[in-house]
Amino acid sequence: HVVVSYLEIYNEKVRDLLNFSVVGDAPQQQLRVRNNPKTGPYVEGLTRLAVSSHEEVLSVMREGAQSRSVASTNMNEVSSRSHAIF
């Protein structure tokens, strides 16, 4: 049993990259990092998807990557502007 999540941290805000219910440029609810004394840190409300194959993991990762925040820089037209955790 494998479950995946994908988030980005951009401008000190945590965003769910697998929340596909957000349409277009609509703002996403900012997620909060919490701490459970027994299990440790977690992100409240973060999407968790069950996957059953290597191909499915890669597919979910590709879909989430398309939602990452990007902007142009002098070196790269579509540079990622965030940190991501899968």
Side-chain angles (χ1 to χ4, degrees):
H1 180 74
V2 177
V3 176
V4 298
S5 295
Y6 200 6
L7 64 89
E8 79 171 346
I9 302 168
Y10 178 64
N11 287 336
E12 299 183 25
K13 295 179 182 170
V14 178
R15 205 166 66 89
D16 188 343
L17 294 175
L18 299 180
N19 182 354
F20 303 122
S21 64
V22 177
V23 179
D25 293 331
Q28 243 191 36
Q29 177 184 357
Q30 183 178 340
L31 302 176
R32 299 176 128 189
V33 178
R34 301 286 193 194
N35 187 50
N36 180 306
K38 292 183 180 182
T39 59
Y42 69 97
V43 178
E44 187 176 56
L46 186 63
T47 300
R48 296 168 39 104
L49 297 176
V51 292
S52 57
S53 69
H54 177 259
E55 291 79 16
E56 196 172 357
V57 169
L58 291 176
S59 175
V60 169
M61 190 178 276
R62 276 188 218 103
E63 288 182 53
Q66 291 178 358
S67 298
R68 288 194 63 191
S69 299
V70 295
S72 63
T73 66
N74 289 338
M75 298 290 285
N76 187 344
E77 285 185 29
V78 286
S79 175
S80 169
R81 307 313 309 154
S82 66
H83 298 282
I85 299 170
F86 184 80

